[in-house]
Every structure is written in structure tokens, then in C-alpha cells.
Amino acid sequence: MTSAARGARARARIEVTAAIKEEARRQLAAEGAARLSLRAVARELGMVSSALYRYFPSRDDLLTALIIDAYDSLGEAAESAHAAVAQEGPRQRWVAVCAAVRRWALAHPHEYALIYGSPVPGYHAPETTVPAAARVGLLLIGIVRDAHRARPGLADLPLPADLRPEAERLVADLAPDLPPAAGAALVAAWAQLYGLVGFELFGQFHRVVEDREPFFRHAATRLADQVGLP
């Protein structure tokens, strides 16, 4: 086979893969992840199932590809927002990243639900999803690490004695150069960030919080306090 033919086949594979993912995302929006079906995707694309299996051998393989794409898209949005304020202080950078997470979720509600909503029955995410899933968390850790290394540094944070062993384990795994109290606060803030976004996206703020953007920014700023950012 000539190099031109190989190139044409590679381009065709990329195009078909993209079409499969696009149709799968449409089905996610209409039916939810639990009802995603390779046969239904193939039928909508005018393909026989056996042909689609050459691209994604199982539903779980397709779900994994969609999950990685979603995490990467979210990570890129957060990293772009951070780059735009990279010369600002840690609090501004923190809030910018948090706001980018919210904007992305509101623009991609079904993909957000796929990665942070209810688990898909019978699906277990493989280790290949971890690097993409970690992008936002690593960005937030980097902001806290920069603040810790600078002056005046992080604020002193309380750490109950019974939490210290777990906090020390957390920082050993995630950021060995951070104080244990900061590691525990970071994990709590990370969970609260996605809780805030999820409450807005999935309707729990209906008739509770109406002016949601300033509310979110205030909450994100309080999370910056929580992790000790100066």
C-alpha cells in the first residue's frame, strides 16, 4: 500500500470515529449514558454493527472514549482560563479556573453529567481515563503550591488530630510538598466546586439561587479562603 493510500485510510478512520462519537453524544443527550447502544449508533449512521465494532469493540470502549474527550475538553477550558490570568495572584487564578469549570458545564451539560453525574450501571472506568480526569485537579494543586512557595505563603489551616493521618496520606499521594492541612482542604474544595456546579446544572438551585453567577464567584472565593490562599 502506498503512503498516500495509508494516509487516506487514516483520514477516513478519523472521520468515521468522529462521526460515531458525535452520534453517541446525541444519544447521550436524548437517552442518557445507561441507554447508549452501539447498534443504535450504527443504525443512525447507516453502518452495520460489525463495521462499527472495528472502531469500538464494545459499548464500554465507546463510553471510555467519550469520557476521556469530555475530561480533556474540560481540562483545556480550565487551562486556557488559567493561562489568561497566569500573571495574577493565586486567588484570581483559582476563581478563574473555577469559573471556567462552571462555564464549560453549562455549555456541555450532557458531557458533564457523563463524567460527574450518576455512575453508568455496569461500567467501570479504566486507568486510561485518569490523566484526563486529573487535569483540573492538578491545575488547582499547582495554584496552591505556587502560593505555598511564595510569600506570605498559605494561611495556617486547622487540622483536627483525628484527620491528620488521612491528610498526611492525601498529600503523600497528591502533593508531597504541601502541608497536610492544605491537602485536606484542597480535596474538600475540589468536591465542593463540583457540588456547586452540579446543583446549578441539575436544578437543585431552582427557586433557591436566582442570580447564580455572582453567587458562584462568591462561593469560589470562599473556597480560595478554605485552602489558605492569601
Side-chain angles (χ1 to χ4, degrees), residues 57-176:
S58 71
R59 181 209 66 163
D60 285 4
D61 291 308
L62 179 53
L63 271 177
T64 296
L66 296 176
I67 287 168
I68 290 173
D69 283 354
Y71 276 130
D72 276 333
S73 178
L74 172 58
E76 288 167 9
E79 289 160 5
S80 293
H82 181 262
V85 294
Q87 303 307 312
E88 303 292 336
R91 293 172 69 85
Q92 293 90 336
R93 292 159 57 198
W94 175 279
V95 173
V97 170
C98 293
V101 170
R102 174 179 177 266
R103 284 194 303 272
W104 184 90
L106 294 177
H108 304 86
H110 303 295
E111 292 170 81
Y112 185 89
L114 176 64
I115 55 179
Y116 290 114
S118 299
V120 180
Y123 174 79
H124 301 284
E127 288 294 316
T128 54
T129 62
V130 172
R135 289 174 69 166
V136 173
L138 291 175
L139 200 56
L140 295 176
I141 289 172
I143 293 170
V144 175
R145 178 181 287 120
D146 289 347
H148 177 55
R149 291 171 175 170
R151 292 290 178 268
L154 297 173
D156 289 333
L157 300 172
L159 184 65
D162 62 348
L163 181 58
R164 178 165 289 278
E166 177 64 8
E168 290 175 346
R169 186 196 65 79
L170 283 172
V171 294
D173 287 346
L174 299 175

Side-chain angles (χ1 to χ4, degrees), residues 27 34 66 145 177 182 206:
Q27 290 193 19
L66 296 176
R145 178 181 287 120
D177 53 333
H206 180 60

Side-chain angles (χ1 to χ4, degrees), residues 1-25:
M1 183 183 297
T2 66
S3 59
R6 286 195 296 270
R9 288 188 63 177
R11 288 192 298 274
R13 185 172 183 85
I14 290 170
E15 291 171 1
V16 174
T17 300
I20 292 170
K21 289 180 178 180
E22 187 60 31
E23 174 57 28
R25 291 187 189 99

